[in-house]
Amino acid sequence: MQIAILLYDNCTVLDAVGPYQTLGPLPDADTVFVAEQAGPVLDDNRSLSLVAAKSLSEVTRPDIVIVPGGPEPDVGNEAVLGWLRAVDATSTWTVSVCTGSLLLAAAGLLNGRRATSHWTTLERLREFGAEPSRQRVVFDGKYVTAAGVSAGIDMGLTLAGKIAGDEHAQAVQLMIEYDPQPPYDAGSPDKAPAALVELISGAPAPGQ
Amino acid sequence: MQIAILLYDNCTVLDAVGPYQTLGPLPDADTVFVAEQAGPVLDDNRSLSLVAAKSLSEVTRPDIVIVPGGPEPDVGNEAVLGWLRAVDATSTWTVSVCTGSLLLAAAGLLNGRRATSHWTTLERLREFGAEPSRQRVVFDGKYVTAAGVSAGIDMGLTLAGKIAGDEHAQAVQLMIEYDPQPPYDAGSPDKAPAALVELISGAPAPGQ
């Protein structure tokens, strides 16, 4: 089983690493990081490069395709969109984290489907014919989308359980000691202080 | 403020990325990834290289030093241990995630201090004079240690709050949408099925 994780300039590292750490241990899985060109790809904080082992043209039939997000994913990049359409034709699962769903949607893959995204960009899914859902992890057929950044960990464990069973996924959870204890309860726009939500989104907090 | 995150062959990516994603946004912070030699460093799943921008000798006075873990951190690597002692002499915070605490302890920095580690290696801290604690995030003076892998996210938010205030840390939590919803409750040896704990640790589950 091949897992392909897309990298691109200005993507968010944790979006890629959450699924990597949770889906990488699948039995017989081989994970490959892929980008337009093989080599180092700089992240959105501009301090860390992850190395793409392969270029898009070298990865043609992954079983699982994973698309991370970033602050400004280029929804007009035809090299990436074309690759997504091509690999989606034979993938078992097509997956995104955060604003990665905008790339899947821009490629036409989420037309009429329920999907999620980073909370600040959720409504933009409509521009590409997808139906926004505020769930943290959304399954619609073989399409799996996760909410912002850290949601890729919950998505990865959920998908690992579907593919390899609950016991496997629980073992992964135990190995990464994923027993979250955030020091604040501000991880969603429903829970964070309204002033912060407004500051970050430029719009009033939902339901507040 | 300079944040230095150590990389080494066979380290666990999420151990480094959790703190990076949560502490990197600190006001006026500049994060540098550092390794014995600058260049790509391969992770413990052997599928992803992170690029160290600097060698150890190029990073001499970071304000925050962060040491990730891995399955077998080399507690006899004097190049790394010597660097840790040197930068600790002037650091404001000296930090580890997962088995990274074994490196801090082997460098002699946790002598007589409370610290945590990945649950499978917690007791090994005693070999180096540290006092194991089962908390997820442990503060002892300027030394901050986090439990396994994903605990680096909770640690990073907690430390971000101490450094830059609750509102800053809450904004970071909201940006990474850290509202965890694990599909299982198996993230610690107290909660996971006993058979899994025994399988992974080779020892009976605690309290089970």
PDB file of all heavy atoms in Angstrom, chain A residues 14 20-21 43 51 118 136 148 150 154 166 175-177 179 181 184 191, chain B residues 14 20-21 43 49 118 136 148 150 154 166 175-177 179 181 184 191:
ATOM      1  N   LEU A  14       2.295  20.604  10.312  1.00  0.00           N
ATOM      2  CA  LEU A  14       1.509  19.658  11.126  1.00  0.00           C
ATOM      3  C   LEU A  14       0.359  19.033  10.326  1.00  0.00           C
ATOM      4  O   LEU A  14      -0.041  17.902  10.602  1.00  0.00           O
ATOM      5  CB  LEU A  14       0.986  20.353  12.396  1.00  0.00           C
ATOM      6  CG  LEU A  14       0.255  19.491  13.419  1.00  0.00           C
ATOM      7  CD1 LEU A  14       1.059  18.266  13.830  1.00  0.00           C
ATOM      8  CD2 LEU A  14      -0.120  20.310  14.657  1.00  0.00           C
ATOM      9  N   TYR A  20       0.772  11.554   8.675  1.00  0.00           N
ATOM     10  CA  TYR A  20       1.979  10.720   8.504  1.00  0.00           C
ATOM     11  C   TYR A  20       2.211   9.855   9.738  1.00  0.00           C
ATOM     12  O   TYR A  20       2.475   8.651   9.645  1.00  0.00           O
ATOM     13  CB  TYR A  20       3.179  11.622   8.255  1.00  0.00           C
ATOM     14  CG  TYR A  20       4.505  10.916   8.195  1.00  0.00           C
ATOM     15  CD1 TYR A  20       4.726   9.882   7.294  1.00  0.00           C
ATOM     16  CD2 TYR A  20       5.552  11.290   9.029  1.00  0.00           C
ATOM     17  CE1 TYR A  20       5.958   9.239   7.231  1.00  0.00           C
ATOM     18  CE2 TYR A  20       6.779  10.665   8.966  1.00  0.00           C
ATOM     19  CZ  TYR A  20       6.978   9.633   8.072  1.00  0.00           C
ATOM     20  OH  TYR A  20       8.193   9.003   8.018  1.00  0.00           O
ATOM     21  N   GLN A  21       2.085  10.492  10.899  1.00  0.00           N
ATOM     22  CA  GLN A  21       2.400   9.786  12.139  1.00  0.00           C
ATOM     23  C   GLN A  21       1.329   8.765  12.500  1.00  0.00           C
ATOM     24  O   GLN A  21       1.607   7.797  13.193  1.00  0.00           O
ATOM     25  CB  GLN A  21       2.519  10.841  13.247  1.00  0.00           C
ATOM     26  CG  GLN A  21       3.436  10.481  14.379  1.00  0.00           C
ATOM     27  CD  GLN A  21       4.905  10.684  14.063  1.00  0.00           C
ATOM     28  OE1 GLN A  21       5.354  11.781  13.876  1.00  0.00           O
ATOM     29  NE2 GLN A  21       5.658   9.599  14.012  1.00  0.00           N
ATOM     30  N   ASP A  43       8.004  25.503   4.583  1.00  0.00           N
ATOM     31  CA  ASP A  43       6.669  25.572   5.195  1.00  0.00           C
ATOM     32  C   ASP A  43       6.197  27.013   5.396  1.00  0.00           C
ATOM     33  O   ASP A  43       6.939  27.959   5.105  1.00  0.00           O
ATOM     34  CB  ASP A  43       6.673  24.816   6.528  1.00  0.00           C
ATOM     35  CG  ASP A  43       7.160  25.689   7.664  1.00  0.00           C
ATOM     36  OD1 ASP A  43       8.161  26.421   7.491  1.00  0.00           O
ATOM     37  OD2 ASP A  43       6.533  25.679   8.727  1.00  0.00           O
ATOM     38  N   VAL A  51      11.476  17.319   3.012  1.00  0.00           N
ATOM     39  CA  VAL A  51      12.012  16.878   1.733  1.00  0.00           C
ATOM     40  C   VAL A  51      10.994  16.000   0.999  1.00  0.00           C
ATOM     41  O   VAL A  51      10.576  14.956   1.519  1.00  0.00           O
ATOM     42  CB  VAL A  51      13.329  16.110   1.916  1.00  0.00           C
ATOM     43  CG1 VAL A  51      13.845  15.622   0.566  1.00  0.00           C
ATOM     44  CG2 VAL A  51      14.366  16.993   2.609  1.00  0.00           C
ATOM     45  N   HIS A 118     -10.263  24.215   7.369  1.00  0.00           N
ATOM     46  CA  HIS A 118      -9.982  25.115   8.480  1.00  0.00           C
ATOM     47  C   HIS A 118     -11.201  26.010   8.685  1.00  0.00           C
ATOM     48  O   HIS A 118     -11.837  26.423   7.716  1.00  0.00           O
ATOM     49  CB  HIS A 118      -8.755  25.964   8.161  1.00  0.00           C
ATOM     50  CG  HIS A 118      -8.208  26.722   9.329  1.00  0.00           C
ATOM     51  ND1 HIS A 118      -8.706  27.943   9.729  1.00  0.00           N
ATOM     52  CD2 HIS A 118      -7.223  26.429  10.203  1.00  0.00           C
ATOM     53  CE1 HIS A 118      -8.032  28.376  10.790  1.00  0.00           C
ATOM     54  NE2 HIS A 118      -7.118  27.471  11.098  1.00  0.00           N
ATOM     55  N   ARG A 136     -15.376  17.666  12.716  1.00  0.00           N
ATOM     56  CA  ARG A 136     -13.900  17.690  12.741  1.00  0.00           C
ATOM     57  C   ARG A 136     -13.310  16.759  11.678  1.00  0.00           C
ATOM     58  O   ARG A 136     -12.282  17.047  11.088  1.00  0.00           O
ATOM     59  CB  ARG A 136     -13.409  17.275  14.129  1.00  0.00           C
ATOM     60  CG  ARG A 136     -11.911  17.449  14.338  1.00  0.00           C
ATOM     61  CD  ARG A 136     -11.610  17.603  15.810  1.00  0.00           C
ATOM     62  NE  ARG A 136     -10.194  17.593  16.088  1.00  0.00           N
ATOM     63  CZ  ARG A 136      -9.394  18.669  16.049  1.00  0.00           C
ATOM     64  NH1 ARG A 136      -9.900  19.841  15.729  1.00  0.00           N
ATOM     65  NH2 ARG A 136      -8.109  18.560  16.334  1.00  0.00           N
ATOM     66  N   GLY A 148      -9.071  22.088  10.723  1.00  0.00           N
ATOM     67  CA  GLY A 148      -7.762  22.726  10.712  1.00  0.00           C
ATOM     68  C   GLY A 148      -6.635  21.935  11.363  1.00  0.00           C
ATOM     69  O   GLY A 148      -6.817  21.305  12.400  1.00  0.00           O
ATOM     70  N   SER A 150      -4.418  20.458  13.412  1.00  0.00           N
ATOM     71  CA  SER A 150      -4.293  19.332  14.342  1.00  0.00           C
ATOM     72  C   SER A 150      -5.371  18.274  14.124  1.00  0.00           C
ATOM     73  O   SER A 150      -5.227  17.139  14.590  1.00  0.00           O
ATOM     74  CB  SER A 150      -4.354  19.834  15.779  1.00  0.00           C
ATOM     75  OG  SER A 150      -5.618  20.438  16.033  1.00  0.00           O
ATOM     76  N   ASP A 154      -6.665  13.321  14.478  1.00  0.00           N
ATOM     77  CA  ASP A 154      -7.924  12.589  14.710  1.00  0.00           C
ATOM     78  C   ASP A 154      -8.384  11.875  13.434  1.00  0.00           C
ATOM     79  O   ASP A 154      -8.850  10.735  13.479  1.00  0.00           O
ATOM     80  CB  ASP A 154      -9.012  13.572  15.174  1.00  0.00           C
ATOM     81  CG  ASP A 154      -8.692  14.172  16.541  1.00  0.00           C
ATOM     82  OD1 ASP A 154      -8.082  13.484  17.373  1.00  0.00           O
ATOM     83  OD2 ASP A 154      -9.037  15.345  16.759  1.00  0.00           O
ATOM     84  N   ASP A 166      -9.714  -1.531  14.868  1.00  0.00           N
ATOM     85  CA  ASP A 166      -9.615  -0.700  16.067  1.00  0.00           C
ATOM     86  C   ASP A 166      -8.331  -0.964  16.847  1.00  0.00           C
ATOM     87  O   ASP A 166      -7.704  -0.032  17.350  1.00  0.00           O
ATOM     88  CB  ASP A 166     -10.815  -0.964  16.992  1.00  0.00           C
ATOM     89  CG  ASP A 166     -12.132  -0.496  16.383  1.00  0.00           C
ATOM     90  OD1 ASP A 166     -12.094   0.328  15.442  1.00  0.00           O
ATOM     91  OD2 ASP A 166     -13.184  -0.957  16.848  1.00  0.00           O
ATOM     92  N   MET A 175       1.128   4.517  21.099  1.00  0.00           N
ATOM     93  CA  MET A 175       2.543   4.774  20.777  1.00  0.00           C
ATOM     94  C   MET A 175       2.838   6.279  20.687  1.00  0.00           C
ATOM     95  O   MET A 175       3.915   6.726  21.072  1.00  0.00           O
ATOM     96  CB  MET A 175       2.935   4.099  19.453  1.00  0.00           C
ATOM     97  CG  MET A 175       3.225   2.624  19.585  1.00  0.00           C
ATOM     98  SD  MET A 175       4.489   2.236  20.830  1.00  0.00           S
ATOM     99  CE  MET A 175       5.957   2.969  20.097  1.00  0.00           C
ATOM    100  N   ILE A 176       1.880   7.039  20.161  1.00  0.00           N
ATOM    101  CA  ILE A 176       2.117   8.494  20.098  1.00  0.00           C
ATOM    102  C   ILE A 176       1.551   9.188  21.346  1.00  0.00           C
ATOM    103  O   ILE A 176       1.486  10.396  21.416  1.00  0.00           O
ATOM    104  CB  ILE A 176       1.561   9.141  18.807  1.00  0.00           C
ATOM    105  CG1 ILE A 176       0.044   9.047  18.716  1.00  0.00           C
ATOM    106  CG2 ILE A 176       2.224   8.539  17.565  1.00  0.00           C
ATOM    107  CD1 ILE A 176      -0.559   9.928  17.607  1.00  0.00           C
ATOM    108  N   GLU A 177       1.165   8.392  22.302  1.00  0.00           N
ATOM    109  CA  GLU A 177       0.662   8.874  23.602  1.00  0.00           C
ATOM    110  C   GLU A 177      -0.330  10.026  23.399  1.00  0.00           C
ATOM    111  O   GLU A 177      -0.210  11.087  24.007  1.00  0.00           O
ATOM    112  CB  GLU A 177       1.832   9.274  24.518  1.00  0.00           C
ATOM    113  CG  GLU A 177       1.526   8.992  25.981  1.00  0.00           C
ATOM    114  CD  GLU A 177       2.733   8.968  26.930  1.00  0.00           C
ATOM    115  OE1 GLU A 177       3.867   8.682  26.478  1.00  0.00           O
ATOM    116  OE2 GLU A 177       2.531   9.197  28.125  1.00  0.00           O
ATOM    117  N   ASP A 179      -3.185  11.398  24.315  1.00  0.00           N
ATOM    118  CA  ASP A 179      -4.141  11.527  25.414  1.00  0.00           C
ATOM    119  C   ASP A 179      -4.230  13.023  25.692  1.00  0.00           C
ATOM    120  O   ASP A 179      -3.737  13.525  26.691  1.00  0.00           O
ATOM    121  CB  ASP A 179      -3.586  10.765  26.624  1.00  0.00           C
ATOM    122  CG  ASP A 179      -4.494  10.843  27.832  1.00  0.00           C
ATOM    123  OD1 ASP A 179      -5.707  10.984  27.652  1.00  0.00           O
ATOM    124  OD2 ASP A 179      -3.964  10.774  28.968  1.00  0.00           O
ATOM    125  N   GLN A 181      -4.391  16.843  26.472  1.00  0.00           N
ATOM    126  CA  GLN A 181      -4.745  17.654  27.643  1.00  0.00           C
ATOM    127  C   GLN A 181      -4.369  19.100  27.358  1.00  0.00           C
ATOM    128  O   GLN A 181      -3.416  19.630  27.928  1.00  0.00           O
ATOM    129  CB  GLN A 181      -4.002  17.134  28.885  1.00  0.00           C
ATOM    130  CG  GLN A 181      -4.400  15.715  29.291  1.00  0.00           C
ATOM    131  CD  GLN A 181      -3.501  15.118  30.368  1.00  0.00           C
ATOM    132  OE1 GLN A 181      -2.916  15.823  31.181  1.00  0.00           O
ATOM    133  NE2 GLN A 181      -3.383  13.802  30.361  1.00  0.00           N
ATOM    134  N   TYR A 184      -5.873  25.024  27.463  1.00  0.00           N
ATOM    135  CA  TYR A 184      -7.004  25.934  27.270  1.00  0.00           C
ATOM    136  C   TYR A 184      -8.081  25.195  26.483  1.00  0.00           C
ATOM    137  O   TYR A 184      -7.812  24.162  25.878  1.00  0.00           O
ATOM    138  CB  TYR A 184      -6.583  27.182  26.474  1.00  0.00           C
ATOM    139  CG  TYR A 184      -5.385  27.898  27.039  1.00  0.00           C
ATOM    140  CD1 TYR A 184      -4.118  27.655  26.522  1.00  0.00           C
ATOM    141  CD2 TYR A 184      -5.513  28.802  28.086  1.00  0.00           C
ATOM    142  CE1 TYR A 184      -2.995  28.294  27.045  1.00  0.00           C
ATOM    143  CE2 TYR A 184      -4.408  29.448  28.605  1.00  0.00           C
ATOM    144  CZ  TYR A 184      -3.151  29.192  28.082  1.00  0.00           C
ATOM    145  OH  TYR A 184      -2.066  29.821  28.607  1.00  0.00           O
ATOM    146  N   LYS A 191     -15.672  27.757  20.930  1.00  0.00           N
ATOM    147  CA  LYS A 191     -15.172  27.686  22.309  1.00  0.00           C
ATOM    148  C   LYS A 191     -14.218  28.821  22.655  1.00  0.00           C
ATOM    149  O   LYS A 191     -14.082  29.183  23.817  1.00  0.00           O
ATOM    150  CB  LYS A 191     -14.455  26.345  22.510  1.00  0.00           C
ATOM    151  CG  LYS A 191     -15.376  25.145  22.357  1.00  0.00           C
ATOM    152  CD  LYS A 191     -14.590  23.831  22.426  1.00  0.00           C
ATOM    153  CE  LYS A 191     -15.526  22.637  22.370  1.00  0.00           C
ATOM    154  NZ  LYS A 191     -14.756  21.359  22.356  1.00  0.00           N
TER     155      LYS A 191
ATOM    156  N   LEU B  14       6.811  14.155  14.786  1.00  0.00           N
ATOM    157  CA  LEU B  14       5.788  14.909  15.525  1.00  0.00           C
ATOM    158  C   LEU B  14       6.342  15.472  16.837  1.00  0.00           C
ATOM    159  O   LEU B  14       5.882  16.513  17.309  1.00  0.00           O
ATOM    160  CB  LEU B  14       4.553  14.029  15.783  1.00  0.00           C
ATOM    161  CG  LEU B  14       3.344  14.697  16.431  1.00  0.00           C
ATOM    162  CD1 LEU B  14       2.900  15.963  15.723  1.00  0.00           C
ATOM    163  CD2 LEU B  14       2.172  13.711  16.522  1.00  0.00           C
ATOM    164  N   TYR B  20       7.143  23.067  17.450  1.00  0.00           N
ATOM    165  CA  TYR B  20       7.378  24.057  16.384  1.00  0.00           C
ATOM    166  C   TYR B  20       6.094  24.805  16.045  1.00  0.00           C
ATOM    167  O   TYR B  20       6.072  26.037  15.915  1.00  0.00           O
ATOM    168  CB  TYR B  20       7.905  23.338  15.146  1.00  0.00           C
ATOM    169  CG  TYR B  20       8.071  24.207  13.922  1.00  0.00           C
ATOM    170  CD1 TYR B  20       8.848  25.357  13.944  1.00  0.00           C
ATOM    171  CD2 TYR B  20       7.453  23.852  12.719  1.00  0.00           C
ATOM    172  CE1 TYR B  20       9.007  26.143  12.811  1.00  0.00           C
ATOM    173  CE2 TYR B  20       7.607  24.627  11.591  1.00  0.00           C
ATOM    174  CZ  TYR B  20       8.376  25.771  11.639  1.00  0.00           C
ATOM    175  OH  TYR B  20       8.521  26.551  10.513  1.00  0.00           O
ATOM    176  N   GLN B  21       5.017  24.056  15.938  1.00  0.00           N
ATOM    177  CA  GLN B  21       3.757  24.654  15.512  1.00  0.00           C
ATOM    178  C   GLN B  21       3.123  25.514  16.615  1.00  0.00           C
ATOM    179  O   GLN B  21       2.354  26.424  16.312  1.00  0.00           O
ATOM    180  CB  GLN B  21       2.798  23.514  15.129  1.00  0.00           C
ATOM    181  CG  GLN B  21       1.780  23.854  14.096  1.00  0.00           C
ATOM    182  CD  GLN B  21       2.318  23.877  12.677  1.00  0.00           C
ATOM    183  OE1 GLN B  21       2.684  22.852  12.135  1.00  0.00           O
ATOM    184  NE2 GLN B  21       2.360  25.038  12.067  1.00  0.00           N
ATOM    185  N   ASP B  43      13.837  10.582   9.541  1.00  0.00           N
ATOM    186  CA  ASP B  43      13.055  10.293  10.750  1.00  0.00           C
ATOM    187  C   ASP B  43      12.960   8.797  11.038  1.00  0.00           C
ATOM    188  O   ASP B  43      13.465   7.971  10.271  1.00  0.00           O
ATOM    189  CB  ASP B  43      11.651  10.902  10.609  1.00  0.00           C
ATOM    190  CG  ASP B  43      10.701   9.973   9.885  1.00  0.00           C
ATOM    191  OD1 ASP B  43      11.092   9.388   8.843  1.00  0.00           O
ATOM    192  OD2 ASP B  43       9.567   9.801  10.343  1.00  0.00           O
ATOM    193  N   SER B  49      12.475  13.295   5.543  1.00  0.00           N
ATOM    194  CA  SER B  49      13.628  14.046   6.047  1.00  0.00           C
ATOM    195  C   SER B  49      13.212  15.480   6.318  1.00  0.00           C
ATOM    196  O   SER B  49      12.550  16.123   5.500  1.00  0.00           O
ATOM    197  CB  SER B  49      14.764  14.043   5.014  1.00  0.00           C
ATOM    198  OG  SER B  49      15.343  12.764   4.929  1.00  0.00           O
ATOM    199  N   HIS B 118       8.375   9.410  27.220  1.00  0.00           N
ATOM    200  CA  HIS B 118       7.427   8.429  26.683  1.00  0.00           C
ATOM    201  C   HIS B 118       7.161   7.374  27.763  1.00  0.00           C
ATOM    202  O   HIS B 118       8.071   6.988  28.480  1.00  0.00           O
ATOM    203  CB  HIS B 118       8.030   7.767  25.440  1.00  0.00           C
ATOM    204  CG  HIS B 118       7.048   6.954  24.653  1.00  0.00           C
ATOM    205  ND1 HIS B 118       6.732   5.652  24.947  1.00  0.00           N
ATOM    206  CD2 HIS B 118       6.299   7.275  23.563  1.00  0.00           C
ATOM    207  CE1 HIS B 118       5.839   5.195  24.073  1.00  0.00           C
ATOM    208  NE2 HIS B 118       5.558   6.160  23.227  1.00  0.00           N
ATOM    209  N   ARG B 136       1.643  14.716  32.092  1.00  0.00           N
ATOM    210  CA  ARG B 136       1.826  14.871  30.639  1.00  0.00           C
ATOM    211  C   ARG B 136       2.838  15.966  30.318  1.00  0.00           C
ATOM    212  O   ARG B 136       3.599  15.862  29.356  1.00  0.00           O
ATOM    213  CB  ARG B 136       0.474  15.193  29.981  1.00  0.00           C
ATOM    214  CG  ARG B 136       0.510  15.150  28.461  1.00  0.00           C
ATOM    215  CD  ARG B 136      -0.880  14.925  27.934  1.00  0.00           C
ATOM    216  NE  ARG B 136      -0.945  15.070  26.489  1.00  0.00           N
ATOM    217  CZ  ARG B 136      -0.683  14.089  25.626  1.00  0.00           C
ATOM    218  NH1 ARG B 136      -0.315  12.910  26.062  1.00  0.00           N
ATOM    219  NH2 ARG B 136      -0.785  14.291  24.325  1.00  0.00           N
ATOM    220  N   GLY B 148       5.003  11.295  25.736  1.00  0.00           N
ATOM    221  CA  GLY B 148       5.261  10.820  24.382  1.00  0.00           C
ATOM    222  C   GLY B 148       4.688  11.681  23.263  1.00  0.00           C
ATOM    223  O   GLY B 148       3.575  12.184  23.351  1.00  0.00           O
ATOM    224  N   SER B 150       2.820  13.191  20.928  1.00  0.00           N
ATOM    225  CA  SER B 150       1.781  14.222  20.773  1.00  0.00           C
ATOM    226  C   SER B 150       1.726  15.163  21.978  1.00  0.00           C
ATOM    227  O   SER B 150       1.137  16.253  21.883  1.00  0.00           O
ATOM    228  CB  SER B 150       0.419  13.564  20.563  1.00  0.00           C
ATOM    229  OG  SER B 150       0.063  12.799  21.705  1.00  0.00           O
ATOM    230  N   ASP B 154       0.607  19.860  23.712  1.00  0.00           N
ATOM    231  CA  ASP B 154       0.119  20.405  24.989  1.00  0.00           C
ATOM    232  C   ASP B 154       1.226  21.190  25.692  1.00  0.00           C
ATOM    233  O   ASP B 154       0.977  22.259  26.263  1.00  0.00           O
ATOM    234  CB  ASP B 154      -0.376  19.263  25.883  1.00  0.00           C
ATOM    235  CG  ASP B 154      -1.593  18.560  25.297  1.00  0.00           C
ATOM    236  OD1 ASP B 154      -2.417  19.231  24.656  1.00  0.00           O
ATOM    237  OD2 ASP B 154      -1.715  17.334  25.476  1.00  0.00           O
ATOM    238  N   ASP B 166      -1.946  34.123  28.163  1.00  0.00           N
ATOM    239  CA  ASP B 166      -3.012  33.183  27.806  1.00  0.00           C
ATOM    240  C   ASP B 166      -3.638  33.520  26.453  1.00  0.00           C
ATOM    241  O   ASP B 166      -3.938  32.625  25.655  1.00  0.00           O
ATOM    242  CB  ASP B 166      -4.121  33.215  28.869  1.00  0.00           C
ATOM    243  CG  ASP B 166      -3.646  32.653  30.212  1.00  0.00           C
ATOM    244  OD1 ASP B 166      -2.617  31.946  30.234  1.00  0.00           O
ATOM    245  OD2 ASP B 166      -4.314  32.925  31.221  1.00  0.00           O
ATOM    246  N   MET B 175      -5.838  28.813  15.920  1.00  0.00           N
ATOM    247  CA  MET B 175      -5.303  28.752  14.558  1.00  0.00           C
ATOM    248  C   MET B 175      -5.011  27.309  14.128  1.00  0.00           C
ATOM    249  O   MET B 175      -5.193  26.953  12.966  1.00  0.00           O
ATOM    250  CB  MET B 175      -4.027  29.597  14.440  1.00  0.00           C
ATOM    251  CG  MET B 175      -4.279  31.084  14.279  1.00  0.00           C
ATOM    252  SD  MET B 175      -5.371  31.490  12.879  1.00  0.00           S
ATOM    253  CE  MET B 175      -4.332  30.976  11.489  1.00  0.00           C
ATOM    254  N   ILE B 176      -4.521  26.494  15.073  1.00  0.00           N
ATOM    255  CA  ILE B 176      -4.256  25.088  14.707  1.00  0.00           C
ATOM    256  C   ILE B 176      -5.491  24.218  14.998  1.00  0.00           C
ATOM    257  O   ILE B 176      -5.421  23.000  14.929  1.00  0.00           O
ATOM    258  CB  ILE B 176      -2.991  24.512  15.383  1.00  0.00           C
ATOM    259  CG1 ILE B 176      -3.141  24.432  16.903  1.00  0.00           C
ATOM    260  CG2 ILE B 176      -1.751  25.326  14.986  1.00  0.00           C
ATOM    261  CD1 ILE B 176      -2.023  23.614  17.574  1.00  0.00           C
ATOM    262  N   GLU B 177      -6.583  24.865  15.320  1.00  0.00           N
ATOM    263  CA  GLU B 177      -7.871  24.192  15.570  1.00  0.00           C
ATOM    264  C   GLU B 177      -7.671  22.961  16.456  1.00  0.00           C
ATOM    265  O   GLU B 177      -8.114  21.858  16.136  1.00  0.00           O
ATOM    266  CB  GLU B 177      -8.557  23.847  14.230  1.00  0.00           C
ATOM    267  CG  GLU B 177     -10.080  23.925  14.344  1.00  0.00           C
ATOM    268  CD  GLU B 177     -10.832  24.001  13.018  1.00  0.00           C
ATOM    269  OE1 GLU B 177     -10.274  24.428  11.988  1.00  0.00           O
ATOM    270  OE2 GLU B 177     -12.029  23.625  13.015  1.00  0.00           O
ATOM    271  N   ASP B 179      -8.802  21.172  18.982  1.00  0.00           N
ATOM    272  CA  ASP B 179      -9.999  20.819  19.741  1.00  0.00           C
ATOM    273  C   ASP B 179     -10.112  19.300  19.630  1.00  0.00           C
ATOM    274  O   ASP B 179     -10.972  18.763  18.940  1.00  0.00           O
ATOM    275  CB  ASP B 179     -11.217  21.509  19.082  1.00  0.00           C
ATOM    276  CG  ASP B 179     -12.517  21.196  19.795  1.00  0.00           C
ATOM    277  OD1 ASP B 179     -12.494  20.931  21.003  1.00  0.00           O
ATOM    278  OD2 ASP B 179     -13.562  21.222  19.112  1.00  0.00           O
ATOM    279  N   GLN B 181     -10.444  15.426  19.292  1.00  0.00           N
ATOM    280  CA  GLN B 181     -11.550  14.465  19.371  1.00  0.00           C
ATOM    281  C   GLN B 181     -11.045  13.101  18.905  1.00  0.00           C
ATOM    282  O   GLN B 181     -11.405  12.624  17.826  1.00  0.00           O
ATOM    283  CB  GLN B 181     -12.721  14.938  18.503  1.00  0.00           C
ATOM    284  CG  GLN B 181     -13.346  16.254  18.990  1.00  0.00           C
ATOM    285  CD  GLN B 181     -14.352  16.840  18.004  1.00  0.00           C
ATOM    286  OE1 GLN B 181     -14.983  16.135  17.234  1.00  0.00           O
ATOM    287  NE2 GLN B 181     -14.484  18.162  18.018  1.00  0.00           N
ATOM    288  N   TYR B 184     -10.654   7.056  19.757  1.00  0.00           N
ATOM    289  CA  TYR B 184     -10.513   6.042  20.810  1.00  0.00           C
ATOM    290  C   TYR B 184      -9.989   6.734  22.062  1.00  0.00           C
ATOM    291  O   TYR B 184      -9.487   7.860  21.999  1.00  0.00           O
ATOM    292  CB  TYR B 184      -9.523   4.944  20.391  1.00  0.00           C
ATOM    293  CG  TYR B 184      -9.830   4.326  19.056  1.00  0.00           C
ATOM    294  CD1 TYR B 184      -9.160   4.760  17.911  1.00  0.00           C
ATOM    295  CD2 TYR B 184     -10.781   3.312  18.931  1.00  0.00           C
ATOM    296  CE1 TYR B 184      -9.439   4.197  16.672  1.00  0.00           C
ATOM    297  CE2 TYR B 184     -11.060   2.755  17.693  1.00  0.00           C
ATOM    298  CZ  TYR B 184     -10.392   3.200  16.569  1.00  0.00           C
ATOM    299  OH  TYR B 184     -10.681   2.648  15.356  1.00  0.00           O
ATOM    300  N   LYS B 191      -5.259   3.881  30.109  1.00  0.00           N
ATOM    301  CA  LYS B 191      -6.546   3.866  29.427  1.00  0.00           C
ATOM    302  C   LYS B 191      -6.627   2.821  28.314  1.00  0.00           C
ATOM    303  O   LYS B 191      -7.713   2.359  27.975  1.00  0.00           O
ATOM    304  CB  LYS B 191      -6.823   5.251  28.826  1.00  0.00           C
ATOM    305  CG  LYS B 191      -6.934   6.352  29.879  1.00  0.00           C
ATOM    306  CD  LYS B 191      -7.060   7.721  29.218  1.00  0.00           C
ATOM    307  CE  LYS B 191      -7.277   8.813  30.266  1.00  0.00           C
ATOM    308  NZ  LYS B 191      -7.293  10.161  29.645  1.00  0.00           N
TER     309      LYS B 191
END
